[in-house]
Amino acid sequence: MLKNAPFRFSDFESISIQYGLRDSMLNTYNTATQEYQYINKNNQVVKERLKLSDDDLLFLHRKAMEMGFWNVDNDMTTPRQDSTEGAKVPRYVLEFKYKEKSKRVTLDADYPGNQKMKDAAKTTIEKVLDRINVAYAR
């Protein structure tokens, strides 16, 4: 079954994530470039290089499969009346890139849609952030 899956680890290229408020998505990480940028406790932007191991990447690929990340909607944003509504609600953009396909999901923390889809996307995002934190602590 895994061999015929639309997203195979043998075709894996990278994972990228951005998160923060809609107008300032300053927290970013990309496994291809190993560029890691985050806001520290002093509200300063910190730029570093961070490498996830092959085991980390395989774990994240499998976790995305397990959670059904490939089946969630690409756009899980909350409709807004104007640009100021929901300005303080966190937004996450997670992308898994493979040789011939990619999956990019944008999720607002207050997304009112299908709870199962929201949970799948949210859990996958949490696992990516956890792995980044573990790698950073090494």
Side-chain angles (χ1 to χ4, degrees):
M1 179 173 154
L2 293 179
K3 202 171 198 177
N4 296 325
F7 297 92
R8 296 183 309 254
F9 189 68
S10 60
D11 294 336
F12 176 81
E13 290 185 348
S14 68
I15 297 171
S16 65
I17 188 166
Q18 296 177 320
Y19 58 98
L21 302 179
R22 287 181 311 178
D23 63 344
S24 60
M25 305 270 287
L26 296 176
N27 300 293
T28 63
Y29 178 64
N30 186 318
T31 61
T33 62
Q34 299 176 2
E35 293 174 357
Y36 180 40
Q37 176 179 297
Y38 62 95
I39 305 296
N40 67 11
K41 292 177 184 175
N42 298 327
N43 214 22
Q44 298 170 318
V45 176
V46 178
K47 294 181 181 185
E48 298 189 25
R49 305 226 8 109
L50 180 67
K51 181 173 177 21
L52 292 185
S53 70
D54 289 342
D55 289 342
D56 290 332
L57 298 174
L58 179 60
F59 171 84
L60 292 172
H61 166 79
R62 287 182 175 163
K63 188 53 73 174
M65 277 184 16
E66 177 186 320
M67 296 310 303
F69 182 73
W70 316 129
N71 300 320
V72 302
D73 294 335
N74 293 342
D75 183 4
M76 299 176 76
T77 57
T78 304
R80 309 287 180 194
Q81 298 297 326
D82 58 49
S83 62
T84 59
E85 182 185 356
K88 299 293 183 191
V89 175
R91 176 171 283 179
Y92 302 88
V93 179
L94 177 61
E95 182 173 26
F96 279 72
K97 283 189 179 180
Y98 295 81
K99 287 180 184 169
E100 296 180 13
K101 296 181 180 192
S102 66
K103 178 68 174 182
R104 180 184 176 101
V105 173
T106 304
L107 172 69
D108 283 345
D110 66 348
Y111 178 66
N114 182 305
Q115 190 61 42
K116 276 189 165 185
M117 283 189 157
K118 180 180 178 180
D119 290 345
K122 185 178 174 189
T123 302
T124 305
I125 289 166
E126 288 171 354
K127 294 299 179 185
V128 170
L129 294 175
D130 286 347
R131 281 294 158 151
I132 291 170
N133 290 333
V134 166
Y136 186 73
R138 286 186 218 148

